[in-house]
Amino acid sequence: MATQFLNRIGQLGLGVAIVGGVVNSALYNVDGGHRAVIFDRFTGVKQQVSGEGTHFFVPWVQRPIIFDIRSQPRNVPVVTGSKDLQNVNITLRILFRPIPDQLPKIYTILGQDYDERVLPSITTEVLKAVVAQFDAGELITQREMVSQKVSDDLTERAAQFGVILDDISITHLTFGKEFTQAVEMKQVAQQEAEKARFMVEKAEQMKKAAIISAEGDAEAAALLAKSFADSGDGLVELRRIEAAEDIAYQMSRSRGVAYLPAGQTTLLNLPQ
């Protein structure tokens, strides 16, 4: 009896294990930030989208396909031409995610690598169309307008494929070698022109200063001539006397200067 009981328990355990294995193989999990669509071998892709959690499916007949619906970054470089035929190297950074309700359509038409199939092509198309509307200089001075127009057009195009673009930004914008050299030469020319303008203004100011100085000298000469005419040589004699007094005072303070009386030509050794 004990042996039969143990056999029964063994058979029951084996049956439970088999049932558990079958049930486990018929379950799949959808993590947070993900969605799943079911591919059925007989009916194709089902239109129902499974949310987060644990779900059932029919093994061998059905297969779950998991999609990440969180925002993902992607950089798309494009080489295009401006309105004035300048080569432009531009790179967009895009944050994208699929529309959950359109996952069955996305998988049917594009597959799980929908971003590889859609984003490079529509980004190149939109950038070429928008950049061609602006000159090279406008792409720099009106960058915000260019970015906004690219964002609007690209968002509209991506929505046709069931893709949402959360953010679009221009991270890189450069021009061809010829245009860059032309800009540098223009800046150098502007600096030279500014320097020449400064030199001209400096020369004008120096000219005005010279004129004012000459007018002052002429006025001073006229005043001196008037003084000489009014007082004769008295003013000159007065200035000569004042100069002589100043020279005598300065020499008297010098210890290396000796004085001789009038008419004497020999310096005598006088006691201290």
Side-chain angles (χ1 to χ4, degrees), residues 178-195:
E178 293 79 7
F179 180 78
T180 303
Q181 291 177 345
V183 171
E184 292 176 353
M185 292 176 63
K186 180 180 178 181
Q187 291 177 343
V188 172
Q190 289 176 343
Q191 293 174 355
E192 292 293 336
E194 187 69 18
K195 181 179 179 180

Side-chain angles (χ1 to χ4, degrees), residues 195-208:
K195 181 179 179 180
R197 186 179 66 82
F198 172 76
M199 296 300 294
V200 170
E201 291 180 354
K202 182 179 179 181
E204 289 291 336
Q205 295 299 325
M206 292 179 64
K207 178 180 178 182
K208 291 179 180 179

Side-chain angles (χ1 to χ4, degrees), residues 22-272:
V22 172
V23 172
N24 186 64
S25 65
L27 296 177
Y28 68 94
N29 294 321
V30 179
D31 297 331
H34 294 72
R35 295 292 185 272
V37 295
I38 298 297
F39 172 76
D40 192 292
R41 292 179 181 273
F42 301 107
T43 60
V45 179
K46 293 184 175 297
Q47 296 303 309
Q48 181 182 358
V49 178
S50 301
E52 301 168 359
T54 302
H55 305 273
F56 288 96
F57 73 105
V58 180
W60 188 81
V61 177
Q62 295 179 338
R63 176 169 58 90
I65 297 97
I66 309 297
F67 282 88
D68 190 345
I69 63 169
R70 297 171 297 184
S71 291
Q72 303 177 61
R74 184 183 180 92
N75 291 328
V76 182
V78 176
V79 179
T80 182
S82 63
K83 187 177 180 181
D84 54 351
L85 304 180
Q86 298 294 335
N87 290 327
V88 182
N89 301 313
I90 186 168
T91 300
L92 285 188
R93 184 179 186 274
I94 303 172
L95 288 179
F96 69 95
R97 57 188 172 92
I99 300 174
D101 294 340
Q102 297 192 27
L103 286 176
K105 177 183 176 182
I106 292 174
Y107 181 72
T108 301
I109 299 176
L110 301 171
Q112 285 185 279
D113 58 343
Y114 63 93
D115 57 312
E116 293 285 349
R117 299 173 183 269
V118 172
L119 293 180
S121 59
I122 65 174
T123 300
T124 301
E125 174 191 349
V126 170
L127 278 178
K128 286 182 178 292
V130 173
V131 171
Q133 301 175 22
F134 297 88
D135 294 337
E138 294 173 342
L139 291 174
I140 299 175
T141 59
Q142 302 180 24
R143 182 165 178 165
E144 183 176 353
M145 180 187 299
V146 175
S147 180
Q148 185 62 45
K149 187 168 180 59
V150 169
S151 178
D152 294 341
D153 294 352
L154 194 55
T155 300
E156 182 179 353
R157 288 285 289 128
Q160 299 175 6
F161 297 93
V163 179
I164 298 174
L165 302 183
D166 293 322
D167 182 68
I168 302 171
S169 58
I170 299 176
T171 60
H172 183 73
L173 178 63
T174 58
F175 300 92
K177 182 178 180 181
E178 293 79 7
F179 180 78
T180 303
Q181 291 177 345
V183 171
E184 292 176 353
M185 292 176 63
K186 180 180 178 181
Q187 291 177 343
V188 172
Q190 289 176 343
Q191 293 174 355
E192 292 293 336
E194 187 69 18
K195 181 179 179 180
R197 186 179 66 82
F198 172 76
M199 296 300 294
V200 170
E201 291 180 354
K202 182 179 179 181
E204 289 291 336
Q205 295 299 325
M206 292 179 64
K207 178 180 178 182
K208 291 179 180 179
I211 292 174
I212 293 173
S213 177
E215 290 176 349
D217 292 342
E219 185 175 353
L223 291 175
L224 287 174
K226 184 175 182 302
S227 298
F228 291 153
D230 294 341
S231 59
D233 294 337
L235 180 61
V236 176
E237 187 64 22
L238 177 62
R239 292 289 184 266
R240 187 180 67 79
I241 295 173
E242 291 176 347
E245 288 180 350
D246 183 64
I247 293 172
Y249 175 76
Q250 294 296 333
M251 294 183 65
S252 67
R253 295 175 61 85
S254 178
R255 301 182 61 181
V257 177
Y259 297 91
L260 293 175
Q264 182 176 331
T265 60
T266 304
L267 181 63
L268 302 177
N269 239 350
L270 298 178
Q272 298 293 331

